[in-house]
Amino acid sequence: MSSTLTENVRKTVLENGLTVLTKEVHTAPVVTVQVWYQVGSCNEEPGVNGIAHQLEHMMFKGTLNRPIQFGRLFSALGSDSNAFTSYDQTAYYGTVERNKLKALLVLEADRMQNSLIEPEQLASEKRVVISELQGYENSPEYRLNRAVMQAVFPNHAYGLPVGGTKADVEKFEVEQVQKYYRNFYTPDNAVLVIVGDFQTANTLEIIKEVFGKLPKNSAEKRVLSAESKAPLPTPHSPLPTPIVLREPGAGGLLQVVYPLPDANQPDVPALDVMDYIFTEGRNSRLNQALVESGLANEVTASVTSLRESGWYEVLVTAGSKQDLKKIDSVLSSAIANVAEKGVTSEEVERAKTQLMADVILSNRDITSQAMRLGNDQTTAGDYRYTDRYLAAVRLVKPTDIVAVINKYLTKEARIVGFFEPTQKQITEVGDKPDSAHTTENFSPVAPGLFSEVMKYLPPVDLATDALLAVVGISEAVASHRASASGREDIAQILPQQFKFTNGLRILLLPDNSTPTVTLSGHIQAGTEFDPDNKAGLAAFVAENLLNGTNSKDVLTIAKVLAQRGASLDFQSYREGVHIEGDSLAEDLPILLEILADVVKNCTFPIKELELHRQQTLTDLQQELDEPSEVARRIFVQSIYPKKHPLHSFPTEASLQQIQRQDVIDFKAKHYRPDTTVLALVGDFDLDIVRSLIKNKFGNWEVNGQAPRLKYPPVPMPDKIVSVNPVLPGKAQAVTYMGCTGINRYDPRFHAALVLNQILGGDTLSSRLGAQVRDRQGLSYGIYSYFQAGKNAGTFLIEMQTSPEDSIKAIASTRQILQQIHQQGVTALEVETAKRTLISNYNVSLANPEELADRILMNEVYELDKVELHSFTDKIQKVTLAQVNQAARELLHPDQIVVVTAGPSV
């Protein structure tokens, strides 16, 4: 398990101080470009809390040379781009096909020096940031964490929320943000990370050409924040009583935080191993003490290691009607018990294996590898940090665990917070006066503005671009595809398909780029088969499969997987159960053995079923306290009538109705080899794995015909249906709007994808994003989707807004729908959207998890075996006329359901 994260990383420092980290990875024709600025919320103080985050938003608003929303440029390049602000850094990242590397570098260099920060744009983006903060405020966990962290770090910026506060954001002035930008956004305060399919020597020359001329910071430097920093906390007398929040909400929460040392301190590896022993998996100490006993629904924890300090945070979601003080007492006793009696060598070795496997499994794609390098360089000051860290993890002993518990997890050091929910009722669910007809006076985005994108886009090698657009997995395929002899090569990188006599289908794609394997599977046993009065049954079955078989109990199954650092999960959705698994390559036989055992031989022990029922009921309470979940439920139930397979959702009554025999019967009826597909991508031998699967699954028997469903047609509403459920105590509103859509086999499917990309496929570059988010600042996030499965799906638009902006945002959205429905879109928009979709698809196939899922779903939908590569051809062939026809036939601005959930609007 030796790490290969940094073995071929090259570090270069330019004369202006820019640190450049390059790592060649030639497994796919893609590359990621990331710029990490060594500034975050730790460079703030009360009064200017959130300025780093506000500046991150402003960095997309254009530059002197390119006065255009940068999200539109990234989208036109087909870059999977985003940004984030953290405590110690702010990072910007994009992953593209390799021929667009220089274009991304040009854009990042431009906004490092020339960003426009102007009054009008700042005013609109402050609204967006406030909408984002209100979304966080909807969460009781966030509100509790904010109160606890302020008490842990009363005089240090680590105690401030990273995103800021509404009160501070409202006061930001243009000059403040500009000064912050000048101080911190300079090459000598930045790390540029490039990972992927490129040649280092050539790329370094381009970097010197593009970034080398940027000046380093002036003598003013960055002392203003460094000097004003208060000292970090030292262990103190505990607060006499816990911090208690009594606010509207669904369930009780306990949060305990212990201060820890910074990332470079030698105790960090032992602390991480300790965390895995406490909370990773069913066998973990705190899970056994709190969850298996029924006191808690869930316990999670994490070690945060930063540049100047760190902390250990434990969050417990209380079981229904459980006392938080009792939970806190049991938690403290469990920790004290480990400190007193120690841990076993077996526990330590298992935790170390899990931890190291997680590091390897989470760094399989190039974006994640670059993230690791950027974070290590900016947090620990050394891109090789993870290699050193893993070497130290291997040396952790049981005595080290006891030592760090006694040193850091003391009663004197901890800060405790309770969230005690007050009574909550959803009110005003039902038809409301139609607010969606309120109109805003704004001039719609002129389609002609899309020519700006081409005007400001840095040059791209279009010959290579067109070639890569054809196939997109490997250079060899792209070059051979151009000639008549290419079919053989395409076949070589298509997955091998096998079907056993019992109907089980498997797809195998060997890939030795990392020593790991990704498993993706599908069983046709989704929630569409739930009986009317027992909604939740399909999920009950899927989520209890791992709870015991004829030969292994629940803890044995969990232990076998944990000892290898492997994972296996079953998740039900409308049309099926999705299987997710991954492991190191050498552990694939164990992963397959567990999978075969649970799908064939699970026993559904009554004790585990009852524990799961209580957890599911608590989860349901919390879901119904989330505006997004309430809006989604009411939206779907307002479109699809009762008795329709899409109408039902679990309720407390339906979950209480489910008996063990129902679970056994559903499993026997719907879990069958002839409705199961497994896809494997990774480092394995084709013949060995095929015979292994045959050995494990060949005796899985079929009885009778597989159950089938036919969805009844659903008429469109004859007018706008508007519903406004009010949830007390929420700060942000969530809106769902839309109507019935199309299935995966609809001849308009590919045109609909192009249409959707133009309408709302991206929250910065789409028509909805450009108008509602970027220009008007009404929403933090607005997206549209065509959810197309085997059966008719749903067209929907989702957005989050401040309650006072909801009506304006809905009106603006309907106006844009009307405009595209009546007038259509432009040829330039179609070509830009096609390029974006093709590039994003090619980039996604470089990620083994996304590749495995794509292979799987192509087979589930019974598409042609070459669909993996012909998908981009089909997008390329979509015409302007087809997109505009889809707009006329699929968008219905006056026949939609609009649901806004949250505070009263």
Side-chain angles (χ1 to χ4, degrees):
M1 289 175 62
S2 62
S3 169
T4 56
L5 278 172
T6 60
E7 67 181 7
N8 65 333
V9 176
R10 177 167 168 183
K11 179 178 177 181
T12 309
V13 181
L14 304 191
E15 287 183 17
N16 60 7
L18 178 69
T19 299
V20 182
L21 302 175
T22 52
K23 179 182 180 181
E24 293 185 27
V25 179
H26 299 291
T27 52
V30 296
V31 63
T32 187
V33 172
Q34 304 184 0
V35 180
W36 292 65
Y37 293 95
Q38 299 188 84
V39 57
S41 62
C42 73
N43 301 84
E44 298 171 357
E45 55 194 356
V48 288
N49 182 205
I51 196 165
H53 177 225
Q54 184 70 62
L55 177 56
E56 176 222 307
H57 279 243
M58 298 306 297
M59 290 287 282
F60 285 87
K61 302 296 272 188
T63 65
L64 294 168
N65 306 321
R66 295 178 175 84
I68 180 176
Q69 164 59 254
F70 264 44
R72 296 171 70 192
L73 298 177
F74 293 135
S75 181
L77 282 174
S79 174
D80 182 6
S81 292
N82 213 326
F84 66 84
T85 305
S86 189
Y87 294 95
D88 292 335
Q89 59 275 107
T90 308
Y92 302 81
Y93 56 96
T95 304
V96 290
E97 295 153 317
R98 63 173 174 212
N99 61 310
K100 297 164 183 173
L101 169 58
K102 184 173 181 180
L104 267 192
L105 291 170
V106 167
L107 292 175
E108 290 297 354
D110 189 15
R111 63 177 176 172
M112 183 179 280
Q113 186 176 31
N114 303 311
S115 278
L116 286 173
I117 299 166
E118 296 182 329
E120 190 180 344
Q121 278 87 349
L122 180 60
S124 117
E125 207 59 30
K126 278 161 64 172
R127 287 178 81 171
V128 170
V129 168
I130 288 167
S131 169
E132 180 183 354
L133 297 178
Q134 288 172 327
Y136 302 148
E137 291 284 345
N138 277 356
S139 160
E141 288 96 329
Y142 176 82
R143 303 199 300 271
L144 180 62
N145 178 259
R146 203 174 74 172
V148 171
M149 289 301 291
Q150 202 166 4
V152 176
F153 294 99
N155 301 308
H156 191 278
Y158 284 163
L160 302 173
V162 171
T165 61
K166 181 182 178 185
D168 282 3
V169 170
E170 284 175 333
K171 292 186 295 209
F172 291 151
E173 300 289 342
V174 168
E175 295 74 22
Q176 278 179 300
V177 183
Q178 286 173 338
K179 183 177 181 184
Y180 205 83
Y181 172 62
R182 286 194 306 272
N183 273 340
F184 293 104
Y185 279 59
T186 60
D188 53 321
N189 197 44
V191 177
L192 171 65
V193 187
I194 305 174
V195 176
D197 192 15
F198 64 93
Q199 299 300 321
T200 302
N202 297 350
T203 302
L204 285 174
E205 288 307 312
I206 295 169
I207 291 167
K208 285 170 187 168
E209 171 200 332
V210 172
F211 283 90
K213 57 183 179 285
L214 302 184
K216 61 166 68 176
N217 202 340
S218 63
E220 183 183 356
K221 212 54 181 151
R222 287 171 282 275
V223 291
L224 74 151
S225 301
E227 284 179 352
S228 63
K229 274 195 185 149
L232 285 157
T234 52
H236 44 66
S237 299
L239 295 177
T241 54
I243 297 163
V244 179
L245 297 189
R246 291 187 181 90
E247 297 173 358
L253 298 169
L254 164 70
Q255 184 161 50
V256 182
V257 176
Y258 301 87
L260 294 181
D262 65 79
N264 278 310
Q265 293 302 313
D267 287 333
V268 169
L271 285 161
D272 279 338
V273 175
M274 173 203 77
D275 174 41
Y276 271 68
I277 291 169
F278 275 144
T279 63
E280 188 63 29
R282 294 286 292 258
N283 290 282
S284 63
R285 292 297 189 101
L286 296 184
N287 195 81
Q288 285 289 306
L290 295 168
V291 179
E292 299 295 323
S293 66
L295 277 174
N297 217 50
E298 186 182 26
V299 55
T300 58
S302 60
V303 173
T304 300
S305 303
L306 300 180
R307 192 186 303 154
E308 297 178 19
S309 183
W311 57 87
Y312 185 52
E313 172 189 334
V314 182
L315 178 68
V316 183
T317 306
S320 181
K321 300 181 179 140
Q322 295 294 341
D323 180 60
L324 289 174
K325 287 180 182 169
K326 182 179 178 185
I327 291 173
D328 185 32
S329 172
V330 172
L331 170 69
S332 297
S333 296
I335 293 173
N337 185 51
V338 177
E340 184 186 333
K341 297 182 179 172
V343 291
T344 65
S345 296
E346 183 194 10
E347 277 182 296
V348 173
E349 291 309 309
R350 185 167 68 231
K352 284 157 61 171
T353 301
Q354 288 176 293
L355 196 163
M356 291 189 285
D358 280 352
V359 171
I360 292 171
L361 290 165
S362 65
N363 283 281
R364 288 178 288 181
D365 62 285
I366 61 168
T367 305
S368 301
Q369 290 176 43
M371 287 275 182
R372 179 76 62 167
L373 294 170
N375 188 66
D376 285 355
Q377 182 65 38
T378 53
T379 301
D382 181 6
Y383 71 88
R384 293 163 304 209
Y385 175 79
T386 297
D387 283 349
R388 289 192 284 109
Y389 165 83
L390 288 174
V393 165
R394 291 186 188 95
L395 302 176
V396 172
K397 305 184 297 295
T399 51
D400 298 328
I401 305 301
V402 175
V404 293
I405 293 172
N406 285 321
K407 186 172 179 182
Y408 298 108
L409 271 57
T410 63
K411 282 201 168 179
E412 296 72 44
R414 71 185 205 135
I415 299 289
V416 180
F418 290 167
F419 179 85
E420 297 178 353
T422 54
Q423 203 54 38
K424 173 198 74 70
Q425 290 288 313
I426 299 176
T427 57
E428 301 182 44
V429 177
D431 280 340
K432 280 281 157 202
D434 181 16
S435 59
H437 281 301
T438 311
T439 53
E440 273 294 287
N441 292 320
F442 69 86
S443 41
V445 180
L449 291 180
F450 278 83
S451 58
E452 283 186 341
V453 173
M454 296 306 142
K455 176 177 164 187
Y456 294 121
L457 204 61
V460 168
D461 180 352
L462 290 174
T464 321
D465 190 28
L467 196 61
L468 281 167
V470 176
V471 179
I473 284 194
S474 80
E475 183 180 15
V477 178
S479 58
H480 280 287
R481 182 68 183 266
S483 69
S485 63
R487 298 201 177 277
E488 221 170 278
D489 295 89
I490 296 168
Q492 284 174 12
I493 64 153
L494 283 170
Q496 295 290 304
Q497 295 178 293
F498 303 101
K499 187 172 181 178
F500 297 147
T501 52
N502 60 6
L504 175 68
R505 289 168 285 164
I506 61 169
L507 300 109
L508 305 176
L509 184 61
D511 167 21
N512 61 4
S513 57
T514 65
T516 64
V517 177
T518 300
L519 165 72
S520 192
H522 173 95
I523 303 175
Q524 196 176 312
T527 59
E528 62 187 4
F529 290 112
D530 277 348
D532 285 344
N533 62 337
K534 292 175 183 173
L537 176 58
F540 235 70
V541 176
E543 290 160 15
N544 279 280
L545 288 171
L546 289 162
N547 282 346
T549 66
N550 295 331
S551 59
K552 298 180 187 72
D553 66 15
V554 57
L555 295 181
T556 304
I557 293 170
K559 190 173 177 181
V560 169
L561 291 169
Q563 282 172 332
R564 302 294 195 285
S567 70
L568 182 63
D569 190 41
F570 298 86
Q571 197 72 41
S572 63
Y573 67 105
R574 200 54 75 177
E575 290 192 337
V577 170
H578 186 64
I579 306 167
E580 282 182 42
D582 53 32
S583 72
L584 299 176
E586 63 201 32
D587 299 320
L588 177 59
I590 286 151
L591 188 65
L592 290 173
E593 183 183 326
I594 294 288
L595 174 61
D597 192 22
V598 299
V599 296
K600 291 190 298 183
N601 307 313
C602 56
T603 54
F604 303 113
I606 193 75
K607 178 190 166 203
E608 302 301 334
L609 276 181
E610 288 310 313
L611 182 62
H612 179 76
R613 189 196 311 272
Q614 293 311 311
Q615 292 170 344
T616 305
L617 287 166
T618 304
D619 288 342
L620 177 65
Q621 285 181 338
Q622 292 179 324
E623 282 177 18
L624 295 179
D625 187 49
E626 294 175 14
S628 58
E629 180 60 25
V630 171
R632 184 178 73 89
R633 279 183 172 229
I634 295 175
F635 171 74
V636 170
Q637 292 185 323
S638 300
I639 293 176
Y640 300 101
K642 288 180 179 174
K643 306 293 184 189
H644 191 283
L646 293 177
H647 182 86
S648 66
F649 284 87
T651 63
E652 184 175 345
S654 74
L655 292 171
Q656 295 284 17
Q657 288 278 349
I658 296 168
Q659 302 300 311
R660 179 169 181 263
Q661 194 59 48
D662 299 322
V663 174
I664 292 168
D665 293 346
F666 188 99
K667 158 71 173 55
K669 184 177 180 181
H670 295 284
Y671 281 67
R672 320 160 44 97
D674 55 342
T675 64
T676 299
V677 184
L678 299 178
L680 281 161
V681 174
D683 188 9
F684 54 77
D685 179 278
L686 207 65
D687 294 331
I688 292 173
V689 169
R690 181 188 173 188
S691 66
L692 187 63
I693 293 175
K694 189 170 184 180
N695 177 262
K696 296 293 178 192
F697 293 88
N699 63 350
W700 190 8
E701 293 177 0
V702 180
N703 292 313
Q705 290 295 310
R708 298 212 171 274
L709 270 181
K710 189 168 173 62
Y711 282 29
V714 176
M716 301 286 294
D718 54 11
K719 62 180 177 63
I720 293 175
V721 176
S722 184
V723 190
N724 297 108
V726 175
L727 280 77
K730 299 303 177 189
Q732 184 196 59
V734 177
T735 297
Y736 275 72
M737 53 199 297
C739 54
T740 54
I742 57 175
N743 65 25
R744 178 63 180 82
Y745 312 107
D746 193 295
R748 299 165 295 185
F749 175 73
H750 296 91
L753 291 182
V754 176
L755 170 65
N756 186 70
Q757 182 63 30
I758 295 166
L759 171 66
D762 184 288
T763 204
L764 291 177
S765 65
S766 62
R767 289 258 194 122
L768 289 173
Q771 184 61 261
V772 181
R773 185 199 194 278
D774 198 48
R775 189 170 170 202
Q776 293 182 293
L778 297 177
S779 171
Y780 168 58
I782 181 165
Y783 297 94
S784 62
Y785 314 87
F786 281 96
Q787 295 178 327
K790 280 189 169 185
N791 296 287
T794 310
F795 165 70
L796 65 94
I797 296 168
E798 177 188 359
M799 61 179 145
Q800 304 98 40
T801 55
S802 295
E804 61 270 22
D805 290 335
S806 298
I807 290 172
K808 290 182 193 171
I810 291 167
S812 297
T813 299
R814 280 198 55 245
Q815 205 163 341
I816 291 165
L817 281 175
Q818 195 89 45
Q819 184 189 34
I820 294 180
H821 173 68
Q822 292 174 351
Q823 300 167 25
V825 298
T826 67
L828 185 55
E829 283 178 295
V830 169
E831 289 311 307
T832 304
K834 281 158 58 173
R835 278 179 57 138
T836 302
L837 287 169
I838 288 167
S839 298
N840 286 345
Y841 180 82
N842 293 336
V843 167
S844 76
L845 295 188
N847 182 323
E849 289 179 2
E850 294 189 50
L851 176 59
D853 282 347
R854 183 72 67 164
I855 290 169
L856 174 79
M857 294 315 293
N858 285 348
E859 179 61 28
V860 169
Y861 294 138
E862 300 176 332
L863 303 176
D864 190 293
K865 68 178 289 187
V866 298
E867 176 70 18
L868 194 62
H869 306 312
S870 61
F871 174 83
T872 52
D873 288 342
K874 291 171 183 172
I875 293 292
Q876 189 58 50
K877 287 174 182 164
V878 170
T879 65
L880 172 64
Q882 289 171 329
V883 176
N884 284 335
Q885 181 185 354
R888 288 191 299 275
E889 294 173 359
L890 301 177
L891 302 182
H892 304 278
D894 298 321
Q895 294 175 282
I896 54 175
V897 170
V898 182
V899 178
T900 301
S904 176
V905 297

